[in-house]
Amino acid sequence: MVIDVHTHAEFMEPMYKGDEVTRQRKEIMGREFLGYCDISMALFQMDHAGIDKRVLLPLDLTTQYGCTIVSNDEMKELVGEAPERFIGFASVDPYREDAVKELDHAFGELGLSGLKLNPSKQKFYPTDSIMKPVYEKCIEYGKPILFHCGTSWEPNTPAKYSKPLCFEEVAIEYPELRIGLAHFGWPWVQDTAMMLLKYPNVYADTSMLYCDRAKDFFHQIFKVDLSPLWIENMFSDKVMFGSNSPRFGEEDMKYGLEKLGLRERTLAKVLGGNAMKFLGMED
Amino acid sequence: MKMKLDSFELRTKNEFDMINITERVHKFVEESGIEEGMVYVMTAHTTTSIIVNESLPCLETDIEEKLEEMVPKDAQYAHNHFLPSYGATGGNCPGHLKSMLCNYFAYFPVKDGKVVRGRAQEIYFAEFDGIQDRTVYMQVVGE
């Protein structure tokens, strides 16, 4: 089972809600030239790349921008286009007065599979007191949280909210909460390595490509910046394949991981086994 | 002088793909009403080409393998960096270079309302950065 845990849903064709909404979403997300992709094309690309499932991510920016980048109800609709291939996450703006109610709706009624939050874009620290009911609601439903972590190319996203160590006290206080650190927290990959080593409930995804091609970038991260054996010996159960598609090419990102020279069983965990644990798909 | 412009869409099936579009060009010219003149076929993209060659699977393989040898996927390219205007990282330089090597258009004379071409000359749309939806333009000019 190959699972891409980090793809963005806003440019899949059913999410086209008119030119003005598109213009706004592109501006907010910093993706000026990216176009829409219809469902059949998305599935064809997944088949060609050997990817069984994609996690689709939204973002609730109600208080910052007065909009959502795919709402939870839209996400439900999108997953319905290919329920055997798409795994839909929810998002909630923690500053919304009805944040917990919306999460209940997203998990309880819509059946979404996890929560996506971006502290840099949504402007909160993971340890803020407003987050407590959000974390408790995720634990109640057994749903993981994928946090944006590290640098972001989106406009207006200060990194101070999203450095890997910002999540340490959350990992300590909520050991039953499965926490995913997106983008491996780049460029703070050593800090992410510490989080993976120390906290059993912390995972990281590979959706980072800020220079070079994926093959070269992953070599630099996993063979040079981190010791070559760490991913094999220290966190083979913690790293999850994520592409950040459409920002980075899904097939090329997978190819880059396959070229790392990992043991077959380690690669299988990275490409899907660890995601299954994170998503709660294992018994 | 008359002029007619048309386009069609293609969905490519691989990173490298060659799709024979000869019949589509013929049909366009024959339905244009232009008897004497010329037709241009152009790809709308910078990681694709319009190639004219013999339609043999062995030649298609040779074209693919020689281009890969000349412009290898895993080489170092200046284009491999984050492009703020796209909000994405450029990873398709080989496609751009292959497109440059193979050209983006082809031209054929039109005589008696038909495309003039050599017996072995087939018109291909060539993809170097698939899988994608692509657009091809055709313009016929004449009397």
Side-chain angles (χ1 to χ4, degrees), chain A residues 40 48 209 212-213 247 255, chain B residues 11 14 73-74 80 87 89:
Chain A
S40 65
H48 193 266
L209 180 62
D212 314 322
R213 281 197 68 172
R247 204 183 276 288
Y255 173 77
Chain B
R11 175 163 293 183
N14 272 300
K73 180 177 178 177
D74 286 336
N80 293 348
T89 298

Side-chain angles (χ1 to χ4, degrees), chain A residues 212 215-226 260:
Chain A
D212 314 322
K215 174 175 168 283
D216 302 320
F217 194 72
F218 287 149
H219 177 85
Q220 177 67 34
I221 299 297
F222 292 115
K223 299 290 188 181
V224 180
D225 294 348
L226 304 177
L260 275 175

Side-chain angles (χ1 to χ4, degrees), chain B residues 93-114:
Chain B
C93 187
H96 286 285
L97 297 184
K98 289 172 184 174
S99 173
M100 180 195 73
L101 289 169
C102 296
N103 208 0
Y104 73 97
F105 76 94
Y107 145 81
F108 297 91
V110 172
K111 185 171 174 54
D112 299 329
K114 293 188 181 304

